[in-house]
Amino acid sequence: MNYIWGILLLGGVIMAAFTGKMAESTQALLQAAKSAVELAIGLIGIMAFWLGLMRLAEEAGLVRFLTRLLRPLLRPLFPQIPDGDPALGHIVANVAANLLGLGNSATALGLKAMTELQRLNPLKNVASNAMVTFLAINTAGLTLVPATIIAVRSSAGSARPAEIIGAVFLATCVSTTVAVIAVKILEKLPAFRVPSQVTESAGGVVPDPDKPEGGSHD
Amino acid sequence: MIETFARIMLTVSDWAIPIMAGSIVLIAALRKVKIYEVFIEGAKEGFQVGVRIIPYLVAILCAIAFFRASGAMDLLSSLLKPITNLVGMPPEALPMAIVRPMSGSGALGIMSEIIKTHGPDSFLGRVASVMMGSTETTFYVLAVYFGSVGISKIRHALWAGLLADVAGLLSAVWICRWMFGG
């Protein structure tokens, strides 16, 4: 993340110097800062609603039911998650919401799933295999109902605004498959290995100095 | 046929949230869960999550906005042009491919632009639509999701996400050629 952020910003500064777009770029930057906060604030209400509802679903045993129902599909994808753990149920809820094109509700459910995965994560500042697998599937964007796209096409006067549904679903199936294969291969590479063995044998302490917010939520 | 299917799916989408909410509340009530108290208990977390992601959102959205506005993204897209021409991506759709993983609203803008100039039922209009839906805003998702739980070492997440983006965007073009011709 350090490299990407650095490249984006430094590349931007150098290019702006060359193209003479310094003023516009500054404007865009400050505007983005403002809209980032608006986005987060807008998400709070939806987050609260879904977190409340998912807590109900947990207490009613629905999350466990969902987890057990989709167990055969989830076990090979997330071998590190203990069998029957509610984290799996929350992952399913997020994928389902994405399939239906539910936008911010999907984000809220996804963030809940991340909290659950962080609870199982031994190294609180390092992504676990399960997290990376979950996010790879998420960013691949498996979609059955691309509602926004259909709306834009329809308002532009398309004769068949929804004709792209099949193509979008197929394309996201391809990207999801690639995502899963990529994760399973990449996680075995030495460059991406979890540094747990090293640190544990060295000090026996989980290095978690400045991230107290962790995953335990009660 | 596909239009009927689409209409059904859109209705399912419209009904999804009320039905999910309704059935969760109903089943919880039948199981004697104190529905109101438990809902409030869960909802309390919403504020913390929303506030916790703010710094991560600001960091990533500012960097991307700056990168785009400075013209660096245009440079990147002209550098990638020979490669994308080779795999059969129409040059007009290239900005879409570059912006899609970085900015969802930016990509939506480009898609609307292409649809406006070339028409929604043109080949380019369809390609842009399918590219828009073919993948997610990887940078945003990674920043927000990892940020929400305080993870800074993301390991192979970005590479896996970008590989999925490339796969989705390329298959969008190829699937459009195969389905709609052009």
Side-chain angles (χ1 to χ4, degrees):
Chain A
M1 221 55 198
N2 287 318
Y3 290 111
I4 305 145
W5 201 68
I7 290 170
L8 286 174
L9 270 182
L10 294 177
V13 173
I14 294 167
M15 267 316 279
F18 269 110
T19 54
K21 288 184 180 166
M22 218 36 119
E24 296 101 296
S25 305
T26 312
Q27 190 64 34
L29 182 118
L30 296 176
Q31 186 56 45
K34 206 174 135 212
S35 57
V37 176
E38 281 162 9
L39 199 68
I41 300 291
L43 209 54
I44 289 179
I46 301 165
M47 281 295 309
F49 176 74
W50 281 107
L51 289 176
L53 217 52
M54 286 313 278
R55 180 66 68 87
L56 269 182
E58 264 174 47
E59 300 258 326
L62 284 168
V63 175
R64 214 171 314 128
F65 174 74
L66 201 62
T67 310
R68 211 169 302 150
L69 195 71
L70 292 163
R71 187 171 171 272
L73 190 71
L74 293 169
R75 292 269 4 124
L77 281 176
F78 301 98
Q80 296 90 358
I81 301 180
D83 208 358
D85 193 276
L88 289 170
H90 290 286
I91 290 174
V92 173
N94 168 260
V95 174
N98 271 326
L99 266 175
L100 294 172
L102 298 185
N104 282 340
S105 300
T107 307
L109 293 169
L111 293 179
K112 175 70 183 166
M114 282 304 275
T115 314
E116 294 291 315
L117 291 175
Q118 180 72 324
R119 174 172 52 78
L120 302 168
N121 187 10
L123 285 167
K124 296 301 180 199
N125 63 339
V126 182
S128 66
N129 281 348
M131 285 175 172
V132 180
T133 309
F134 169 54
L135 287 191
I137 294 172
N138 188 301
T139 59
L142 198 59
T143 307
L144 204 51
V145 189
T148 321
I149 302 172
I150 296 177
V152 171
R153 292 173 57 79
S154 148
S155 71
S158 168
R160 300 173 65 197
E163 67 182 357
I164 45 108
I165 280 190
V168 166
F169 182 63
L170 266 183
T172 54
C173 285
V174 173
S175 58
T176 306
T177 313
V178 169
V180 170
I181 295 171
V183 170
K184 293 293 164 195
I185 293 173
L186 289 174
E187 72 185 21
K188 295 194 176 63
L189 297 184
F192 298 122
R193 198 167 291 155
V194 184
S196 64
Q197 298 89 339
V198 188
T199 37
E200 264 164 22
S201 59
V205 189
V206 177
D208 184 19
D210 49 1
K211 300 288 178 214
E213 66 258 52
S216 55
H217 53 279
D218 15 68
Chain B
M1 212 273 284
I2 192 157
E3 293 300 304
T4 326
F5 175 72
R7 215 166 319 120
I8 294 170
M9 290 318 296
L10 282 174
T11 316
V12 169
S13 274
D14 284 343
W15 282 64
I17 291 178
I19 286 184
M20 267 167 82
S23 43
I24 288 174
V25 171
L26 182 69
I27 293 169
L30 289 177
R31 298 248 169 113
K32 307 255 185 307
V33 177
K34 286 188 174 144
I35 49 176
Y36 185 69
E37 277 96 330
V38 171
F39 177 89
I40 297 293
E41 206 45 56
K44 277 179 188 163
E45 286 171 36
F47 187 75
Q48 293 135 30
V49 177
V51 173
R52 209 185 296 151
I53 62 174
I54 288 179
Y56 299 91
L57 263 181
V58 170
I60 195 75
L61 293 185
C62 283
I64 286 170
F66 193 59
F67 192 74
R68 278 194 73 193
S70 69
M73 203 173 277
D74 299 332
L75 181 75
L76 187 64
S77 107
S78 58
L79 287 177
L80 285 172
K81 204 164 205 161
I83 307 172
T84 49
N85 282 346
L86 213 64
V87 295
M89 188 176 289
E92 295 90 338
L94 182 57
M96 184 73 200
I98 309 273
V99 174
R100 187 67 193 93
M102 298 203 190
S103 159
S105 57
L108 192 65
I110 295 178
M111 181 192 85
S112 310
E113 192 62 38
I114 292 179
I115 285 181
K116 211 188 294 166
T117 38
H118 299 272
D121 300 326
S122 65
F123 179 66
L124 269 175
R126 286 164 174 160
V127 170
S129 311
V130 179
M131 281 172 105
M132 180 72 206
S134 70
T135 184
E136 258 292 336
T137 319
T138 301
F139 285 82
Y140 166 84
V141 171
L142 293 186
V144 173
Y145 280 51
F146 279 132
S148 74
V149 289
I151 282 186
S152 50
K153 302 221 172 8
I154 66 169
R155 295 172 60 217
H156 50 303
L158 182 73
W159 292 109
L162 288 180
L163 274 173
D165 290 340
V166 171
L169 292 164
L170 286 183
S171 48
V173 175
W174 291 332
I175 289 168
C176 277
R177 280 203 200 286
W178 167 63
M179 276 188 154
F180 307 118

